[in-house]
Amino acid sequence: MAGSTTDYVAMTSNYTDLTKGAQKVIEASVPLADKHLADNGFFQGQQPATFLDLGAADGGTAVPLWRALLTKFRENSAERPATLVSNDLPGADFNTLFRVYETGEADSLRQRFAPFYVLGNGTPFFQQAVENGSIDFSYSATAMHWLSSAPAKMKDHVHQVESQDACVAEFRDLANQNWSSILKARWAELKPGGIFFAVNFCVSTDNTYLGKTTGKSMFSTFSEIWKSVASEQEFVDTNFPQYYRSKEELETGAAQLGFEVLDHQIVQTNCPYKERFLNGDWTSAEYAENFLPTMTTWSTAVFKSGLRQDRSEDDKTKMINELWGTYKKLIENDPESYQMDYVHSFLVLRKPSGA
Ligand SMILES: C[S@@+](CC[C@H](N)C(=O)[O-])C[C@H]1O[C@@H](n2cnc3c(N)ncnc32)[C@H](O)[C@@H]1O
């Protein structure tokens, strides 16, 4: 089994282009970020402000959030300095991040909102990324379901969210430990009164989650196809190092540390690719072609990590192609049954002013 998640979890390049759904989720979170920052008196402040975006990939999907917040910020003060620290794992596409914020020269986001400084940071978010008491607003979208490792091997499934294996308890324990480390690090980084807005995949009280809202479940489909492509041992060795927490698990962990829970909502964001198919923009073949990459970007490395080390790269590539080729055919033949709707917890936390 692969070791630390840090070794092999990184989105492929062109992350932003391939993940329209993730951007939609961030857009849906903007009003809540705006409301709680405004209620907290943030926009009226005079001191330099620092934002932290954890697990930001190439930063592109979060542009609508930072643009909205910085526009309001500048309406209140033309001179107040603002810094954005964009965080991800060391292997992330930081080149694109810097291009996103610099492109357009005088019209770049950095220039438009000057004095605005953009920094990259590659510290895994289980640890503190910046110094104590330095952050006004910490944010993370669709990233903290990644665990520090896969703690066990599930015999019946590739993902904990549908596995009946007893070892799922080990995933739960590690998820609790990881969430606690994440929260402790955010607590230390925040200024008193600062906000941490966590937008995380979750399991809703109706037992919906990513790719399982209606029709076929995405993770069931992954598991069924992979069972027919990989050997028995390789199937057991393929384990997503992820955990989809419940609303209660997310909230309890935060309250235990002393965070105030300002807001907590479960939000479903419908698959934008399925919407285009349903609107009649695409045939089923076009739908399958356009939809597939939004699943492959984050999962191909996990499937590959379960394969025997002594297989040739060619062999591994063939098996991965078979997985995605089969999935594509299923979508083409029955497009109504397949989609990747998102189910998120929008959790807004505040470090109390006196802390
Ligand atoms: C699905 S992408 C989300 C990107 C962006 N926040 C969005 O919502 O579109 C998840 C990101 O989390 C990053 N990630 C996973 N584990 C991480 C860790 N321990 N520390 C920092 N980033 C991590 C991955 O590398 C990936 O870029």
Side-chain angles (χ1 to χ4, degrees), residues 67-345:
R67 190 183 278 129
L69 296 182
L70 285 161
T71 300
K72 186 136 173 206
F73 187 86
R74 282 283 160 257
E75 281 164 11
N76 286 276
S77 165
E79 277 138 37
R80 186 178 170 198
T83 300
L84 169 64
V85 181
S86 192
N87 159 281
D88 207 284
L89 292 170
D93 187 4
F94 284 99
N95 286 338
T96 300
L97 167 77
F98 295 125
R99 267 200 297 276
V100 165
Y101 286 88
E102 297 297 328
T103 301
E105 297 178 359
D107 195 32
S108 73
L109 285 181
R110 182 179 59 74
Q111 293 273 46
R112 189 175 323 155
F113 295 111
F116 172 47
Y117 308 99
V118 181
L119 312 178
N121 174 283
T123 305
F125 47 51
F126 308 114
Q127 287 143 48
Q128 209 175 312
V130 292
E131 66 185 313
N132 283 351
S134 59
I135 298 294
D136 292 84
F137 179 64
S138 191
Y139 180 87
S140 180
T142 314
M144 292 172 169
H145 55 289
W146 286 106
L147 299 177
S148 51
S149 65
K153 297 183 183 200
M154 296 168 283
K155 292 191 186 62
D156 61 337
H157 214 291
V158 295
H159 202 285
Q160 75 51 234
V161 76
E162 289 179 1
S163 172
Q164 301 298 318
D165 195 307
C167 76
V168 165
E170 293 178 53
F171 280 78
R172 187 178 316 114
D173 290 348
L174 182 61
N176 283 336
Q177 284 167 33
N178 279 177
W179 184 227
S180 170
S181 304
I182 287 168
L183 289 165
K184 279 184 190 147
R186 303 303 73 84
W187 177 281
E189 291 159 354
L190 282 174
K191 295 177 183 171
I195 288 178
F196 172 37
F197 187 175
V199 172
N200 278 312
F201 280 144
C202 72
V203 179
S204 77
T205 44
D206 299 329
N207 199 35
T208 57
Y209 44 83
L210 179 75
K212 194 227 165 214
T213 47
T214 177
K216 307 270 193 223
S217 154
M218 178 185 70
F219 286 116
S220 298
T221 313
F222 279 0
S223 223
E224 282 157 24
I225 304 176
W226 197 233
K227 216 170 231 171
S228 69
V229 172
S231 71
E232 210 171 305
Q233 188 56 47
E234 286 168 322
F235 179 82
V236 173
D237 287 344
T238 307
N239 297 276
F240 278 80
Q242 297 189 348
Y243 187 88
Y244 291 3
R245 299 174 178 94
S246 66
K247 189 174 187 223
E248 204 184 355
E249 284 171 320
L250 288 160
E251 209 170 304
T252 308
Q256 274 166 354
L257 262 186
F259 276 108
E260 293 169 46
V261 179
L262 299 182
D263 222 317
H264 198 180
Q265 305 176 11
I266 303 297
V267 178
Q268 179 172 321
T269 308
N270 289 339
C271 177
Y273 302 93
K274 178 73 172 280
E275 280 177 345
R276 288 199 63 179
F277 167 71
L278 292 176
N279 288 343
D281 293 345
W282 287 334
T283 62
S284 55
E286 286 166 337
Y287 169 43
E289 177 79 25
N290 283 285
F291 166 43
L292 211 64
T294 208
M295 293 188 293
T296 60
T297 46
W298 52 275
S299 62
T300 293
V302 178
F303 287 110
K304 236 178 158 180
S305 75
L307 294 176
R308 274 197 342 254
Q309 296 297 312
D310 62 351
R311 281 193 191 272
S312 67
E313 272 312 301
D314 256 15
D315 203 12
K316 289 182 184 173
T317 304
K318 270 189 209 130
M319 293 171 80
I320 296 293
N321 288 345
E322 192 181 337
L323 163 72
W324 296 127
T326 308
Y327 208 139
K328 196 170 169 199
K329 273 197 209 102
L330 290 172
I331 304 169
E332 282 169 3
N333 294 338
D334 183 13
E336 300 284 346
S337 295
Y338 294 91
Q339 58 277 310
M340 193 178 86
D341 294 334
Y342 295 76
V343 180
H344 278 88
S345 139

